[in-house]
Amino acid sequence: ATKNPLRILLNAARLADIARAERVDLIHARSRAPAWSALLASRRLRLAFITTYHGAYNERGPVKRLYNSVMARSDRIIANSNYTAELIRQRYGSSPEIIRVIHRGIDKSFSREAVSAERIAAVKARWKIDPRKKIILQAARLTRWKGQSILIEAVDQLQQRGLFEGTTVVLAGDEQGRNSYRTELRRMIASRKLSPHVLLVGHEHDMAAAFAAAHVAVIASVEPEAFGRTAAEAQGVGCPVIATRIGAPQETILAEPEHAKSDRTGWLVPPANANALAECLASALALRPQQREAMGERAARHVHSQFTLNEMKIRTLNVYDEMLK
């Protein structure tokens, strides 16, 4: 729990002592400061060393680049998406032979069968939303790159075109100290006379029920997501997703033109493009109940066949077996 260089060195020595005492064969690091301690300990004891690179870390300046580089100094690098794998190759010149793509898995709680009607009703009651209304849900912390303002602009367009009747937008997520951005969003909502229809509900503890309550989920990020867990979680409970065509959501959402209309589980739009997002929202809201249900079933089937927690565990253990022969 520290980035202090001296503590990292001391932790390396402590970790080496533990590894020696417990007869450890392999060390797996998932975060940068611990990875430096793990790298030093594993090299001292000649142990297999694996890292999981799960974020598009910013590289502002040579010091930060050096700090981040530890995640690519292992014997095997697990990337949480093909997007992340390509980022690693571009940044560090890592050989594709040592990179293993293992998508993040979602657990069984994000399934249609696991979410009861009572939990869905409880979420709507907490948000004070009429049960008959369609919900557009964006689940993301309140930070500018997540694109909440783009969604508000798109919804404003729908309202002006008379396509927003019977719909509520929910922005669920903590501001994490970004009070000024939250205030900016509230002003933006009020200036467009959307206050009764766009709700900032803060942290939501039952996200499986929240996605199950939604008609469509939105990922409006203007910077690439290294994986985009919410895209998989929403689809897992049968909620179609609209996401920006950058980063890893392109790997988890089946959308046109790459996939046939009859196979799609959502839509992909250019980033920071309120017009395109508004068009996709209009298409999602216009789906007949049978069409929406069919898309939700495809989404759930797609995610639970490829992005499960169990699959992630099996593939991670396969990397361990590979290293330990």
Side-chain angles (χ1 to χ4, degrees):
T2 178
K3 295 180 180 179
N4 182 298
L6 178 59
R7 292 299 309 173
I8 286 173
L9 288 171
L10 292 173
N11 285 340
R14 293 173 63 198
L15 187 59
D17 289 342
I18 293 169
R20 192 181 296 110
E22 300 294 337
R23 301 171 72 179
V24 166
D25 296 303
L26 179 151
I27 300 178
H28 183 173
R30 294 180 51 85
S31 187
R32 289 164 290 177
W36 279 107
S37 298
L39 172 66
L40 296 171
S42 63
R43 294 297 180 257
R44 182 180 303 177
L45 301 182
R46 298 183 179 179
L47 303 178
F49 179 45
I50 294 173
T51 52
T52 291
Y53 200 112
H54 57 79
Y57 312 117
N58 74 66
E59 297 251 290
R60 299 191 185 100
V63 174
K64 194 63 179 288
R65 181 177 175 81
L66 173 64
Y67 177 64
N68 293 345
S69 71
V70 69
M71 303 304 286
R73 292 171 183 252
S74 52
D75 302 307
R76 290 292 182 277
I77 309 167
I78 295 175
N80 66 346
S81 66
N82 291 306
Y83 164 76
T84 303
E86 182 58 29
L87 192 70
I88 295 166
R89 287 191 287 267
Q90 289 178 1
R91 285 182 172 179
Y92 310 110
S94 301
S95 168
E97 294 181 2
I98 68 167
I99 301 173
R100 301 291 178 268
V101 175
I102 302 179
H103 288 102
R104 186 166 180 171
I106 62 168
D107 64 46
K108 293 178 181 178
S109 65
F110 287 93
S111 65
R112 294 154 74 93
E113 300 78 18
V115 182
S116 66
E118 290 77 15
R119 283 170 60 192
I120 295 172
V123 165
K124 292 181 178 181
R126 269 198 302 279
W127 295 343
K128 297 181 175 59
I129 293 177
D130 184 330
R132 296 167 296 182
K133 287 197 169 186
K134 293 177 181 177
I135 296 172
I136 298 169
L137 172 62
Q138 182 177 8
R141 63 185 183 275
L142 298 187
T143 183
R144 201 172 299 279
W145 75 270
K146 290 292 186 179
Q148 286 90 354
S149 61
I150 308 299
L151 176 55
I152 293 168
E153 288 179 22
V155 169
D156 184 37
Q157 291 185 27
L158 292 181
Q159 180 175 246
Q160 292 178 31
R161 293 163 57 186
L163 301 175
F164 195 62
E165 189 69 28
T167 306
T168 298
V169 174
V170 172
L171 303 179
D174 292 320
E175 68 262 31
Q176 297 178 333
R178 301 178 188 88
N179 298 326
S180 60
Y181 182 56
R182 185 185 183 92
T183 300
E184 181 183 324
L185 291 176
R186 287 195 181 282
R187 287 175 180 161
M188 188 177 182
I189 293 165
S191 68
R192 288 159 174 76
K193 298 181 172 56
L194 289 169
S195 296
H197 311 297
V198 180
L199 310 177
L200 280 80
V201 300
H203 176 73
E204 172 54 51
H205 67 273
D206 192 352
M207 283 310 306
F211 285 128
H215 182 81
V216 64
V218 173
I219 299 171
S221 306
V222 297
E223 296 178 16
E225 298 275 359
F227 177 69
R229 186 180 74 242
T230 55
E233 290 176 345
Q235 291 180 90
V237 297
C239 180
V241 180
I242 302 171
T244 46
R245 193 180 280 280
I246 49 174
Q250 300 175 86
E251 300 171 37
T252 57
I253 298 168
L254 306 182
E256 296 182 278
E258 294 85 357
H259 300 274
K261 186 175 182 179
S262 58
D263 295 331
R264 71 181 181 186
T265 64
W267 299 261
L268 294 169
V269 298
N273 189 323
N275 295 336
L277 180 54
E279 290 302 321
C280 282
L281 285 169
S283 297
L285 294 173
L287 290 173
R288 294 192 300 274
Q290 304 95 311
Q291 293 174 315
R292 164 62 177 71
E293 180 65 18
M295 186 177 285
E297 287 181 1
R298 288 196 300 270
R301 190 165 55 246
H302 165 60
V303 164
H304 289 291
S305 67
Q306 296 192 47
F307 304 105
T308 65
L309 193 59
N310 194 53
E311 180 69 13
M312 183 183 80
K313 291 175 181 177
I314 290 170
R315 295 184 67 189
T316 301
L317 290 173
N318 285 343
V319 177
Y320 292 178
D321 287 343
E322 179 186 340
M323 291 305 303
L324 299 174
K325 303 292 188 286

